[in-house]
Amino acid sequence: MTPIVIAIDGTSASGKSTNAKLISKALGFTYVDTGAMFRTLAWFCLKEQIDIHNPKTVTNACRKWKTTLDCVDGHVRLLVAGYYPSKEIRTAETSAAVPYIAAIPKVREWMKDIQRSCTRFGNLVMEGRDIGSAIFPETNYKYYLDANLAERERRRQAEGVHEDLAQRDHRDSQRATAPLMIPLGAIVINNSGLSAEETSIQIIAHIKKTLPQNSQ
Ligand code: DC
């Protein structure tokens, strides 16, 4: 049977990760954080002193870096030369660099192949910016999360992260290749006044209404 893919897209700090994790746990599906994959490439470029503003050198690095995918506790991880950079990819420096590398068409082609290959781990809950629009446009399960800017900034500050969310969203939605957008057919949820649990309950209920019986 073809694996089912639940696509969770949305703006920065709109609750994609928390919700995608809650949904994957509730359904027993594998969780994939595609933002972590882009962050891993940005981290790798910074570490190797590759110019993130030069699409050619970044594309070259992306062709040559030695990566593997594995799945631990239901979460897919991208490893570089056998190493999983979990903390390093969350620094302010990496966050600031990632929109530049994410705008490079060849990088997005590479990411698309690796992200589609994740179905080898079974049914997926995949979060990102272009999952329902570009990576798995064929899925029937598309959700787009958003919240007002003040609320999203409050959430990031509570995590101890200070960054310009409006600027990152602007870069992500203005790029020419696979920009952040509401995918065709997506259910849009503004969760400004909702907790992650309340949001995920809505999504899980909606998914369960439409999932084939034998996958529940
Ligand atoms: O979700 P996140 O904040 O970890 O994403 C990091 C960056 O990667 C964000 O600026 C947008 C980009 N990204 C993307 O372009 N496409 C995706 N599918 C996921 C993330």
Side-chain angles (χ1 to χ4, degrees):
M1 213 172 74
T2 316
I4 294 163
V5 177
I6 314 284
I8 312 278
D9 291 300
T11 49
S12 302
S14 59
K16 295 186 300 297
S17 301
T18 316
N19 276 286
K21 283 179 196 157
L22 288 169
I23 296 161
S24 61
K25 206 164 173 201
L27 299 176
F29 286 13
T30 300
Y31 165 67
V32 189
D33 174 1
T34 61
M37 296 176 175
F38 285 93
R39 285 172 177 274
T40 300
L41 179 60
W43 161 79
F44 178 78
C45 289
L46 294 174
K47 182 171 78 69
E48 300 294 318
Q49 298 184 326
I50 291 157
D51 181 5
I52 55 161
H53 301 288
N54 182 338
K56 276 203 179 127
T57 54
V58 177
T59 301
N60 249 337
C62 194
R63 283 203 186 110
K64 287 188 190 141
W65 66 338
K66 302 263 177 292
T67 58
T68 40
L69 280 182
D70 70 7
C71 183
V72 175
D73 295 333
H75 290 201
V76 170
R77 310 184 312 174
L78 180 66
L79 287 78
V80 186
Y83 177 67
Y84 173 52
S86 65
K87 291 222 167 59
E88 298 92 324
I89 63 170
R90 304 285 163 194
T91 64
E93 199 191 5
T94 311
S95 295
V98 68
Y100 296 101
I101 65 109
I104 301 171
K106 295 272 186 228
V107 165
R108 300 206 74 91
E109 274 174 30
W110 188 91
M111 292 288 171
K112 182 171 181 175
D113 288 347
I114 201 110
Q115 289 163 14
R116 284 193 68 93
S117 80
C118 289
T119 51
R120 75 173 127 124
F121 299 113
N123 295 330
L124 306 175
V125 178
M126 183 174 278
E127 62 148 304
R129 302 292 191 291
D130 62 343
I131 311 307
S133 58
I135 308 300
F136 287 102
E138 71 274 27
T139 184
N140 290 324
Y141 306 93
K142 302 183 189 182
Y143 300 90
Y144 183 92
L145 303 187
D146 202 0
N148 64 48
L149 183 60
E151 169 63 17
R152 294 188 290 118
E153 279 173 347
R154 194 192 59 70
R155 290 176 188 168
R156 272 291 187 266
Q157 271 160 21
E159 291 166 1
V161 180
H162 299 275
E163 63 166 316
D164 192 335
L165 291 180
Q167 191 185 61
R168 192 141 72 89
D169 285 339
H170 181 75
R171 289 218 171 96
D172 288 336
S173 50
Q174 294 306 307
R175 66 175 175 238
T177 312
L180 169 66
M181 60 155 96
I182 300 174
L184 204 65
I187 293 186
V188 180
I189 300 174
N190 184 313
N191 58 26
S192 298
L194 299 176
S195 68
E197 284 71 23
E198 288 167 330
T199 310
S200 68
I201 284 170
Q202 271 189 28
I203 298 176
I204 292 163
H206 184 266
I207 295 169
K208 283 195 166 166
K209 262 196 268 165
T210 30
L211 270 186
Q213 284 307 309
N214 56 359
S215 57
Q216 295 191 38

